[in-house]
Every structure is written in C-alpha cells, then in structure tokens.
Amino acid sequence: MEIHEIAVTRLKSYENNPRNNDLAVEKVKYSIERLKTTERIVID
C-alpha cells in the first residue's frame, strides 16, 4: 500500500457512481467544520 497526501481539489467524481449524494454535501461539510475532524479516505 502506498500513502499519498493530495489536495481535495485534485479528486474527481467517478462518473459511473450510482449514488446521488448532492444533498449530503452541505451536512458533511458542516460536520467537518464543526468537529474539526479530518480522516483519511481510501481511493481505489
């Protein structure tokens, strides 16, 4: 396994993702800002 730190702005949406999470974005953003929590994400 390799670990790389990259800017979130470099991430791209997967065009074949069947989920529409647009309504959750603001809630997650608020939660991250409020809790000051950042966790690594796994990208395959």
Side-chain angles (χ1 to χ4, degrees), residues 13-22:
S13 296
Y14 177 58
E15 63 185 43
N16 294 322
N17 187 351
R19 294 177 295 226
N20 181 349
N21 297 324
D22 293 345

Side-chain angles (χ1 to χ4, degrees), residues 4-44:
H4 300 270
E5 288 192 31
I6 63 170
V8 173
T9 54
R10 289 188 52 202
L11 299 177
K12 299 177 188 172
S13 296
Y14 177 58
E15 63 185 43
N16 294 322
N17 187 351
R19 294 177 295 226
N20 181 349
N21 297 324
D22 293 345
L23 297 176
V25 171
E26 286 302 315
K27 291 178 183 178
V28 172
K29 178 183 170 188
Y30 173 76
S31 177
I32 291 170
E33 290 172 344
R34 193 178 111 239
L35 299 173
K36 306 292 184 206
T37 303
T38 56
E39 297 293 329
R40 290 180 170 85
I41 59 172
V42 176
I43 302 173
D44 183 14

